[in-house]
Amino acid sequence: MNEAKQKSEAVAAAEQLYEAVREHGVPAMSEHFGGLLAEDFDWRPALIGTVEGRASYVGREAFVDYLKDWESTWEEVEMGPARFEEVAPGRVLIPASMRVTGAGSGVPLDIEMAYVFDFEGGQATVGRTFISRRDAEEFVAGA
C-alpha cells in the first residue's frame, strides 16, 4: 500500500472507537473499548458543561456513565457514517451525523456534529464534541 494512503495509528484508532459505539451502543461499551481509551481519558462534551456546570468527565468509567446518561435522553439513537481526518499528529477530526428521537417527546432530530480526539500510543487521551464542523475546525486552527 502506498504510504500516503496508509491510515495513521490515530485515524485507525478513531475509526475503531467510533464504530464500537455505533455498532454496539452504550450497553456493550466497556467490553468493546478495551485499550482504545487511556485510563485517564478526558471527555469534554459541547453542551453538558453548560447544562450541568461540568466541563469534562475523566476516566473510562466516567465516559461510560456520561454516555449512559446521554443515551437515556433518547428513545432511539442512530449514529450515521463519519469521516476521519488527521488534522495534526495524533489529532483526529470526525465530522458525523446522527438521528435521535426524544425519550419523552418522541420527536426525531437529525444532528450534525463533530468530534476532535487526541491519541497517544493508539489510545484516545482527550475527546471533545462540537455543535458544528466549523466550531471543531476553529478549535483545531486555534490549538
Side-chain angles (χ1 to χ4, degrees):
M1 181 184 258
N2 181 329
E3 197 169 316
K5 302 238 183 222
Q6 288 181 343
K7 290 180 193 174
S8 72
E9 181 180 53
V11 167
E15 287 178 348
Q16 195 176 0
L17 181 62
Y18 186 84
E19 290 304 320
V21 175
R22 186 173 179 212
E23 290 177 23
H24 304 288
V26 174
M29 196 69 74
S30 299
E31 176 184 330
H32 293 279
F33 276 161
L36 295 176
L37 297 178
E39 209 170 298
D40 60 348
F41 175 70
D42 186 2
W43 179 242
R44 302 176 188 177
L47 295 177
I48 199 75
T50 60
V51 175
E52 295 183 6
R54 186 172 181 175
S56 70
Y57 295 77
V58 178
R60 292 177 188 153
E61 287 184 30
F63 178 58
V64 171
D65 288 344
Y66 163 80
L67 288 175
K68 286 178 184 174
D69 288 344
W70 183 84
E71 191 175 63
S72 72
T73 304
W74 311 108
E75 186 176 306
E76 285 184 54
V77 176
E78 182 182 328
M79 295 177 67
R83 289 189 317 261
F84 302 86
E85 306 166 27
E86 188 161 26
V87 293
R91 177 166 280 173
V92 180
L93 169 66
I94 309 167
S97 64
M98 67 178 68
R99 183 170 184 82
V100 295
T101 303
S105 68
V107 174
L109 298 170
D110 291 314
I111 301 171
E112 298 290 327
M113 58 190 314
Y115 307 91
V116 175
F117 280 87
D118 294 338
F119 290 87
E120 290 180 23
Q123 290 188 316
T125 57
V126 180
R128 301 167 187 85
T129 64
F130 296 88
I131 297 171
S132 70
R133 179 188 175 113
R134 191 177 102 212
D135 288 350
E137 288 172 341
E138 287 175 3
F139 168 79
V140 167

